[in-house]
């Protein structure tokens, strides 16, 4: 019955431009039946349109809010609409908590990558050709760029969920996960020879590329994508866990915290629950948990650079 009421509300709103006493000036046919295609100087300025949704989106949102108020009044919990939990918008942002946490993750990765760069090229000794001693420097530079790109599109997608932002967010996340798995193998098994690195990375790059193309140009299968992401995530956590269990790395405790914390945080992606107060759902809380883990993760990477550099300098003497 709720589904029928919601669909009926949306259909009526798209005809009249109003839902629950709220009318939307950008709907093509408002309640007076006069089209809203006025001259350019009568329309909202472009710099204000960033927060404006189209008529259908606003109708769906306001009908959803009205239905949820009715359900709450009779003691019923939230339900999903078009596969999404009912979130409360803030300044036109669809999922404000997830956007804020995604932006903080982006900032943490930028800070981590920048501090890693400064450590390598300004604080640690360099080779005669001005390159870092640390053998995995280039791998972590690429990782940092992919991580920042992923969290950027995560923030954009949670701000405005449309087909393009969704594909960019999911594709960026899969690319980051796939590359993280490659780095975990190369670092854990201490693969230094360039040819060997290519041989290890090639099949994973081929699979990740194929998966991204499948999602974008064949069918966007949410279930299959979740299975792929969980499998990749679990695989790299296991690799790091095994390595940290046998290594004598001085900062292995940091990696332990990241592995255990990352595993627990992954449960939030599997176990879904409605947003508290319209803001904090399982996905948003997962974004929040990754912020401190990111700080510790980049701290381990910096420590690893110091550790490996000190070993190589001793061998060079």
């Amino acid at each position: 019955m709720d589904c029928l009421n919601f669909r009926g509300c949306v259909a009526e709103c798209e005809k009249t431009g109003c839902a629950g006493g709220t009318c939307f000036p950008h709907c093509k046919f408002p309640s007076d039946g006069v089209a809203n295609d006025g001259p350019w100087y009568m329309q909202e300025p472009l710099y204000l349109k960033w927060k404006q949704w189209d008529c259908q989106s606003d109708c769906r949102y306001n009908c959803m809010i009205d239905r949820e108020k009715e359900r709450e009044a009779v003691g019923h919990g939230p339900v999903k609409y078009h596969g999404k939990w009912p979130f409360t918008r803030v300044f036109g942002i669809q999922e404000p908590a997830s956007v804020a946490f995604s932006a903080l993750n982006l900032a943490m990765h930028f800070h981590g990558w920048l501090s890693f760069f400064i450590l390598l090229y300004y604080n640690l000794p360099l080779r005669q050709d001005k390159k870092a001693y640390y053998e995995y420097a280039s791998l972590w530079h690429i990782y940092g760029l992919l991580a920042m790109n992923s969290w950027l599109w995560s923030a954009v997608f949670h701000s405005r969920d449309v087909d393009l932002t969704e594909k960019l967010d999911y594709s960026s996340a899969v690319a980051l996960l796939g590359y993280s798995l490659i780095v975990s193998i190369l670092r854990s098994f201490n693969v230094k020879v360039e040819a060997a690195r290519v041989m290890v990375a090639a099949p994973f790059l081929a699979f990740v590329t194929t998966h991204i193309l499948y999602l974008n140009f064949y069918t966007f299968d949410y279930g299959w994508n979740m299975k792929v992401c969980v499998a990749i995530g679990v695989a790299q956590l296991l690799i790091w866990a095994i390595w940290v269990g046998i290594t004598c790395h001085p900062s292995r405790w940091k990696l332990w915290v990241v592995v255990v914390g990352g595993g627990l945080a992954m449960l939030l992606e599997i176990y879904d629950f409605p947003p508290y107060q319209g803001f904090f759902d399982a996905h948003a809380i997962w974004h929040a948990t990754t912020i401190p883990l990111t700080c510790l993760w980049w701290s381990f990477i910096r420590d690893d650079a110091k550790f490996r550099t000190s070993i190589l300098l001793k061998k060079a003497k």
Side-chain angles (χ1 to χ4, degrees):
M1 188 66 181
D2 287 323
C3 182
L4 293 176
N5 289 340
F6 172 71
R7 291 178 178 176
C9 174
V10 173
E12 182 66 22
C13 175
E14 290 178 348
K15 291 179 182 178
T16 64
C18 298
T22 303
C23 295
F24 315 110
H26 53 283
C27 277
K28 191 173 182 64
F29 295 101
S31 56
D32 60 3
V34 180
N36 194 44
D37 294 333
W40 65 270
Y41 52 83
M42 294 293 291
Q43 298 177 13
E44 189 175 33
L46 287 175
Y47 67 87
L48 292 178
K49 287 188 176 182
W50 69 272
K51 61 181 177 58
Q52 179 176 286
W53 294 70
D54 58 28
C55 182
Q56 184 186 63
S57 297
D58 273 336
C59 285
R60 286 180 175 179
Y61 175 74
N62 282 273
C63 287
M64 175 188 73
I65 295 299
D66 290 341
R67 295 294 82 74
E68 284 302 306
K69 288 180 180 178
E70 294 172 2
R71 290 179 58 82
E72 185 179 3
V74 296
H76 293 164
V79 295
K80 289 187 175 182
Y81 298 82
H82 300 283
K84 300 281 186 180
W85 288 115
F87 289 93
T88 301
R89 290 182 188 172
V90 175
F91 299 113
I93 296 174
Q94 184 175 349
E95 300 175 36
S98 289
V99 172
F101 294 142
S102 294
L104 285 173
N105 272 287
L106 171 60
M108 290 301 100
H109 274 288
F110 176 73
H111 175 268
W113 171 78
L114 185 61
S115 60
F116 173 68
F117 181 89
I118 293 172
L119 172 71
L120 278 183
Y121 299 104
Y122 292 95
N123 295 338
L124 292 177
L126 297 174
R127 298 179 186 272
Q128 291 183 351
D129 57 2
K130 300 302 180 182
K131 291 184 179 180
Y133 278 94
Y134 187 48
E135 316 100 308
Y136 307 98
S138 59
L139 296 177
W140 291 120
H141 286 319
I142 297 172
Y143 169 83
L145 295 175
L146 287 174
M148 287 184 282
N149 174 73
S150 178
W151 285 110
L152 170 65
W153 289 116
S154 174
V156 173
F157 167 65
H158 290 300
S159 298
R160 189 68 60 89
D161 178 2
V162 296
D163 185 62
L164 177 61
T165 58
E166 181 178 54
K167 288 181 176 179
L168 287 168
D169 175 44
Y170 278 68
S171 299
S172 299
V174 172
L176 175 60
L177 274 172
Y179 185 78
S180 298
L181 177 59
I182 293 171
V183 173
S184 68
I185 296 172
L186 297 181
R187 180 63 189 93
S188 298
F189 289 91
N190 206 22
V191 182
K192 303 174 186 176
V193 180
E194 200 67 31
R197 289 183 176 184
V198 172
M199 290 178 64
V200 171
F204 294 102
L205 290 175
F207 174 78
V208 170
T209 302
T210 303
H211 179 66
I212 292 174
L213 292 174
Y214 173 83
L215 291 178
N216 285 276
F217 301 107
Y218 184 69
T219 180
F220 208 96
D221 190 329
Y222 294 95
W224 168 244
N225 183 67
M226 175 62 75
K227 292 176 182 176
V228 169
C229 291
V230 170
I232 295 176
V234 170
Q236 62 180 291
L237 286 178
L238 285 175
I239 291 171
W240 284 121
I242 294 171
W243 182 72
V244 77
I246 61 176
T247 186
C248 296
H249 199 288
S251 297
R252 57 187 178 275
W253 70 268
K254 294 182 180 180
L255 191 53
W256 266 124
V257 174
V258 172
V259 168
V260 175
L264 293 175
M266 191 180 294
L267 296 176
L268 291 169
E269 281 291 272
I270 301 172
Y271 176 68
D272 194 17
F273 55 83
Y276 177 72
Q277 297 294 322
F279 295 106
F280 304 99
D281 69 330
H283 191 71
I285 296 174
W286 172 71
H287 283 339
T289 60
T290 55
I291 296 170
L293 292 178
T294 297
C295 295
L296 199 59
W297 177 236
W298 277 105
S299 177
F300 166 76
I301 295 170
R302 291 192 298 272
D303 290 349
D304 189 47
K306 295 176 186 176
F307 178 61
R308 289 298 306 165
T309 300
S310 65
I311 292 176
L312 293 172
L313 285 173
K314 289 177 182 178
K315 289 181 178 180
K317 290 180 180 178

